[in-house]
Amino acid sequence: MSFENLGLRQEILTGVKLQGYVKPTPIQQQAIPVIMQGRDILAGAQTGTGKTAAFALPLLHLLTARKASGVYRPRALVLEPTRELAAQVGESVETYGRGLRIRSTVIFGGVGIKPQIQCLRQGVDIVIGTPGRLLDLAGQKILDLSGIEVLVLDEADRMLDMGFIHDIRKIIRLVPKKRQTLFFSATYSKEIKVLADTILSKPELVEVTRRNTSPDTVGQSVFRVPKSRKRELLSHLIREGDWSQVLVFTRTKHGANRLAQQLETDGIMAAAIHGNKSQAARTRALADFKSCKVRALVATDIAARGLDIDRLPHVVNYELPQVAQDYVHRIGRTGRAGCTGEAISLQGEDEANLLYAIERLIKKEIPVNSIEGFSIPVKGTDKREAAGIEAHRRGGRGGNKASFRGGNLGGFKANSSGGRRRQTHKR
Ligand code: AMP
């Protein structure tokens, strides 16, 4: 199927071509025709599947094709969980709609409200934003939601994780009952189902990835390394692999800051991105990373959610996520839109259970990778735990003891590369 078959306006097709898209992705093939018919949609799609264009292209088409009412007020509202995602989707909408007379704006907290007020007063068709600031502006009667024809909930699961449910319900009460609603979520929980049931009307179900699976385009591996040596191993991997861009996940904001500083000490340009940073600092870090001025971007889960970095080759889980599902979200930053990517996890001595939970979720064993000199000394309770995990990992297929190169912790200098072999044990 080609974009031409989807019935989109010529201006939009030109915008798509300028982006270099040749063929619609599966979510686009399935969702666009349904949205063009004016129907509600419940879509299971992760970031990286092309879901933004899947709603943005038909949205632009519909708004252009339909006659606007006499009053100039927003006609479409796109809800996003994070500022970064709102900004990114805003950029995509601008790009795809370049040839059209549709105006859009992005609204989120953490930045001055005045320019946003000014933009809304000048009149816009599409508002893309995070729930808190949107409600603030609606409360001040600056944002008029009574003319919304299309409501999009993007990454609904993440919005719920972030505690936006009450804000979402308030927003739903402010938009007209008669509207088209497009609901996107990477995962389905009971809460998601309840929310979807209450706000959608006879939705068409579209699902492009089985839930909780890891994308096939991402090569996954795990290094089992003492916590105290993770940073040394990371620096080594970046340097030896000559990585130009790596997104590194830590569990805490403090950990992200500290690791970025340590990488800089190792001579690797790095920046941290998380919720405590000002919006300006986050935008700058992301721009520097995209332009390859910064080689390593260290992020927490929430800050990185939905980040769209074209052809990002490497993702590292410096600390394994507490919630296994976050693993799928994290590695989904790479291997997007047909490109391949590599996701490496560094499992510390106290993270065996987290790895186990991830493998159970994705129903796949993650191959163990090792570099001589970096491995976990197995002892005491760790040993019992590791043995249990090993038994699970072997899963009656004969096992592979070579996964660990135990004990040899000395003798490795981060700067020396001579003769060290990296080994992957595939089973
Ligand atoms: P998304 O899932 O919306 O975050 O999109 C992921 C990436 O896929 C973005 O970098 C898009 O620019 C890209 N993309 C979207 N649609 C297509 C397409 N049809 N062909 C190639 N790349 C695409």
Side-chain angles (χ1 to χ4, degrees):
M1 188 189 274
S2 71
F3 277 107
E4 280 74 16
N5 299 122
L6 294 169
L8 294 161
R9 295 178 72 87
Q10 191 52 49
E11 298 91 328
I12 298 174
L13 293 178
T14 310
V16 161
K17 217 172 258 161
L18 279 176
Q19 285 299 294
Y21 303 169
V22 181
K23 209 172 144 260
T25 64
I27 183 77
Q28 292 162 4
Q29 290 181 23
Q30 292 180 51
I32 294 175
V34 182
I35 301 172
M36 298 272 277
Q37 288 167 21
R39 295 191 50 196
D40 280 9
I41 197 165
L42 175 57
Q46 300 172 3
T47 27
T49 53
K51 69 177 171 62
T52 311
F55 67 75
L57 301 178
L59 175 64
L60 287 161
H61 176 96
L62 288 177
L63 295 185
T64 313
R66 283 187 206 142
K67 221 167 133 26
S69 72
V71 195
Y72 197 13
R73 56 188 176 179
R75 301 170 63 196
L77 178 65
V78 182
L79 298 180
E80 297 288 346
T82 64
R83 308 162 188 181
E84 276 77 19
L85 204 48
Q88 254 166 228
V89 169
E91 259 174 49
S92 300
V93 168
E94 285 270 305
T95 311
Y96 301 140
R98 203 159 275 162
L100 305 170
R101 291 164 61 90
I102 296 279
R103 288 164 68 166
S104 61
T105 193
V106 179
I107 304 276
F108 49 68
V111 293
I113 199 165
K114 281 204 182 119
Q116 297 177 351
I117 294 177
Q118 221 164 15
C119 239
L120 289 173
R121 289 217 163 115
Q122 278 163 6
V124 290
D125 302 283
I126 305 177
V127 176
I128 301 131
T130 52
R133 178 63 66 89
L134 288 171
L135 274 174
D136 188 357
L137 287 162
Q140 293 183 45
K141 305 273 180 254
I142 292 157
L143 173 63
D144 177 0
L145 295 176
S146 64
I148 294 297
E149 298 163 35
V150 186
L151 172 69
V152 183
L153 276 91
D154 192 19
E155 309 226 348
D157 50 347
R158 201 51 166 195
M159 286 201 273
L160 295 197
D161 286 352
M162 292 173 70
F164 284 138
I165 184 69
H166 298 297
D167 286 353
I168 292 173
R169 291 203 184 280
K170 277 186 208 156
I171 290 171
I172 302 288
R173 285 197 287 273
L174 296 174
V175 298
K177 277 208 171 66
K178 193 173 166 303
R179 57 162 197 269
Q180 184 179 11
T181 308
L182 315 176
F183 191 108
F184 286 79
S185 181
T187 55
Y188 286 117
S189 62
K190 221 165 105 195
E191 289 88 348
I192 285 288
K193 203 174 163 334
V194 170
L195 179 65
D197 282 349
T198 51
I199 67 173
L200 294 171
S201 156
K202 298 196 195 91
E204 176 82 17
L205 210 72
V206 175
E207 192 163 20
V208 289
T209 39
R210 268 194 305 123
R211 60 184 140 144
N212 300 335
T213 53
S214 47
D216 295 338
T217 45
V218 180
Q220 303 171 60
S221 62
V222 58
F223 284 89
R224 310 174 107 176
V225 54
K227 213 152 83 179
S228 57
R229 305 202 62 203
K230 281 188 175 184
R231 165 252 183 136
E232 206 182 331
L233 175 59
L234 176 61
S235 292
H236 174 77
L237 289 170
I238 295 175
R239 246 194 313 258
E240 294 296 303
D242 203 14
W243 293 358
S244 55
Q245 259 186 335
V246 54
L247 180 60
V248 184
F249 284 93
T250 59
R251 226 178 278 149
T252 64
K253 298 169 190 173
H254 179 63
N257 280 340
R258 198 178 42 212
L259 180 61
Q261 279 164 10
Q262 289 170 337
L263 290 174
E264 291 258 324
T265 312
D266 285 351
I268 293 162
M269 288 295 280
I273 184 169
H274 54 68
N276 282 5
K277 298 248 168 189
S278 69
Q279 186 54 39
R282 288 158 67 161
T283 308
R284 194 174 49 243
L286 188 59
D288 285 349
F289 185 59
K290 283 185 174 178
S291 65
C292 293
K293 263 194 231 154
V294 157
R295 231 167 143 183
L297 187 66
V298 189
T300 55
D301 286 291
I302 288 181
R305 175 69 175 176
L307 279 189
D308 181 21
I309 298 143
D310 256 359
R311 287 184 275 276
L312 175 67
H314 304 282
V315 167
V316 169
N317 294 306
Y318 190 77
E319 284 149 341
L320 295 184
Q322 294 288 348
V323 178
Q325 230 162 48
D326 280 341
Y327 177 82
V328 181
H329 292 310
R330 286 180 178 190
I331 72 167
R333 292 336 63 225
T334 182
R336 288 171 155 215
C339 294
T340 52
E342 184 181 26
I344 290 179
S345 300
L346 308 187
Q347 181 226 306
E349 48 278 57
D350 54 353
E351 294 177 307
N353 282 333
L354 298 178
L355 182 69
Y356 181 36
I358 291 166
E359 292 187 327
R360 265 207 321 217
L361 178 80
I362 62 173
K363 298 191 176 63
K364 198 148 83 179
E365 262 181 29
I366 304 173
V368 176
N369 207 333
S370 63
I371 291 182
E372 247 176 274
F374 288 98
S375 47
I376 295 180
V378 183
K379 60 177 192 292
T381 49
D382 291 344
K383 196 170 183 172
R384 279 203 304 280
E385 190 176 56
I389 305 300
E390 259 319 271
H392 146 73
R393 295 174 65 85
R394 279 200 294 271
R397 282 194 273 134
N400 177 13
K401 287 201 186 94
S403 300
F404 287 98
R405 305 185 65 81
N408 178 17
L409 293 176
F412 179 80
K413 295 249 182 335
N415 288 334
S416 78
S417 57
R420 282 185 204 289
R421 270 196 316 136
R422 196 164 138 190
Q423 302 178 342
T424 307
H425 305 285
K426 289 230 160 74
R427 280 164 292 171

